[in-house]
Amino acid sequence: MTLFARVFLDSPVLETSIERAAAADITLEQQTAIDSALDLTLWAGSDDLDASENGLDADETVSRWVAVGGTDTRKLYQTRLTAEASSSIDYHRWTDGQAVFLSADREVRGWTVEAYFPERSVLRQFATASESNGVQFDLLEVSELKQLQDTQQFGLSEIQAQTLLTALARGYYSVPRQVNLEELAEPLGVSHQAVSERLRRGVGSLIESTAAAQFADGTKADAEGASSTGYTPRNPTLSRSVGLNLETP
């Protein structure tokens, strides 16, 4: 039976970076093994990205980093970890490539990681490897899945859909707004930074799969009118999220 699990890892990776910029929203986009080191592709959102970059400079777990691009308040970074730091967060190696990692969000205390596991033995393997590498492992949530779907309507992952629906039900989109991000994060069991990231990505997926798609195929506006905005929609069929149907045992 396939499992969805959310775990907390008390890892030192990027600890100094987040301490220097505690208000920053840091989310792992991609992890790539390079010889004995790991490259982490990270999104960082903050009103003070200089503080985040100063944190990367001072972080002993980071051997080098580069800002790939972005805006004044949100940038994509490519960071290379030291060999020692890499060994303490090598999720894929710990599970022998059997787990599918969905997200990893850095908070002041550590990393919150969400993943699919093909069976409980792989989840136990992940927990054992974490502890063996000196990383505290706390299982926050585990659910058995009836099935995995290869696509989701509107390009949403189940995690994004769950967050958006919870936000709607609790009045986050009401006028006036009935809950803030901190209050919305509580029933979801994640940080307000993680909720902010899920909402941003989820809304982006909805726009790409609805309004942007309609402009792209000419059902709502002709090509000339759409191009006059300066925006070229991405073909939504190129982006396919892995969905998840949660069934709490």
Side-chain angles (χ1 to χ4, degrees), residues 65-118:
W65 64 270
V66 61
V68 178
T71 67
D72 291 339
T73 58
R74 181 169 168 78
K75 285 185 179 180
L76 184 68
Y77 293 92
Q78 184 78 317
T79 63
R80 175 155 300 177
L81 302 182
T82 64
E84 181 178 359
S86 297
S87 67
S88 73
I89 200 172
D90 197 348
Y91 310 143
H92 295 286
R93 181 173 58 84
W94 293 353
T95 61
D96 194 26
Q98 298 180 76
V100 177
F101 291 90
L102 304 172
S103 67
D105 299 309
R106 176 72 217 196
E107 304 170 35
V108 175
R109 292 179 51 242
W111 290 87
T112 299
V113 176
E114 296 179 338
Y116 294 140
F117 295 87

Side-chain angles (χ1 to χ4, degrees), residues 2-247:
T2 305
L3 304 175
F4 165 79
R6 182 163 55 87
V7 304
F8 172 78
L9 301 176
D10 188 4
S11 166
V13 173
L14 298 183
E15 183 175 9
T16 300
S17 299
I18 199 67
E19 286 177 348
R20 295 289 182 93
D25 172 11
I26 297 180
T27 302
L28 179 64
E29 179 75 12
Q30 180 175 297
Q31 175 177 299
T32 307
I34 306 294
D35 296 327
S36 60
L38 290 178
D39 280 356
L40 301 186
T41 306
L42 307 164
W43 280 106
S46 173
D47 291 333
D48 186 7
L49 286 177
D50 287 341
S52 298
E53 294 179 357
N54 290 336
L56 289 172
D57 284 334
D59 202 312
E60 294 183 353
T61 66
V62 177
S63 63
R64 72 183 192 194
W65 64 270
V66 61
V68 178
T71 67
D72 291 339
T73 58
R74 181 169 168 78
K75 285 185 179 180
L76 184 68
Y77 293 92
Q78 184 78 317
T79 63
R80 175 155 300 177
L81 302 182
T82 64
E84 181 178 359
S86 297
S87 67
S88 73
I89 200 172
D90 197 348
Y91 310 143
H92 295 286
R93 181 173 58 84
W94 293 353
T95 61
D96 194 26
Q98 298 180 76
V100 177
F101 291 90
L102 304 172
S103 67
D105 299 309
R106 176 72 217 196
E107 304 170 35
V108 175
R109 292 179 51 242
W111 290 87
T112 299
V113 176
E114 296 179 338
Y116 294 140
F117 295 87
E119 55 189 34
R120 291 187 180 274
S121 63
V122 179
L123 178 57
R124 287 195 295 268
Q125 179 180 335
F126 182 39
T128 300
S130 299
E131 299 288 353
S132 298
N133 283 275
V135 176
Q136 178 184 335
F137 177 99
D138 291 322
L139 183 62
L140 304 177
E141 176 187 350
V142 62
S143 302
E144 292 185 344
L145 312 182
K146 284 187 175 180
Q147 63 181 0
L148 290 180
Q149 299 176 355
D150 62 352
T151 61
Q152 284 285 327
Q153 189 179 19
F154 305 128
L156 293 173
S157 70
E158 185 69 19
I159 294 171
Q160 292 169 347
Q162 177 194 35
T163 304
L164 286 169
L165 289 172
T166 302
L168 181 65
R170 292 179 64 85
Y172 182 77
Y173 293 111
S174 299
V175 179
R177 182 168 287 171
Q178 298 177 17
V179 293
N180 57 32
L181 283 175
E182 286 79 4
E183 293 167 330
L184 181 59
E186 185 176 351
L188 295 171
V190 296
S191 69
H192 71 276
Q193 293 99 329
V195 170
S196 175
E197 180 68 19
R198 289 180 184 181
L199 292 176
R200 183 162 44 240
R201 291 188 178 188
V203 170
S205 294
L206 285 174
I207 293 172
E208 287 187 344
S209 300
T210 54
Q214 290 172 339
F215 273 92
D217 64 19
T219 58
K220 291 296 182 180
D222 60 24
E224 181 180 355
S227 63
S228 66
T229 66
Y231 172 65
T232 302
R234 188 180 69 177
N235 185 344
T237 62
L238 299 179
S239 176
R240 298 196 178 275
S241 301
V242 176
L244 119 87
N245 293 321
L246 290 179
E247 291 290 331

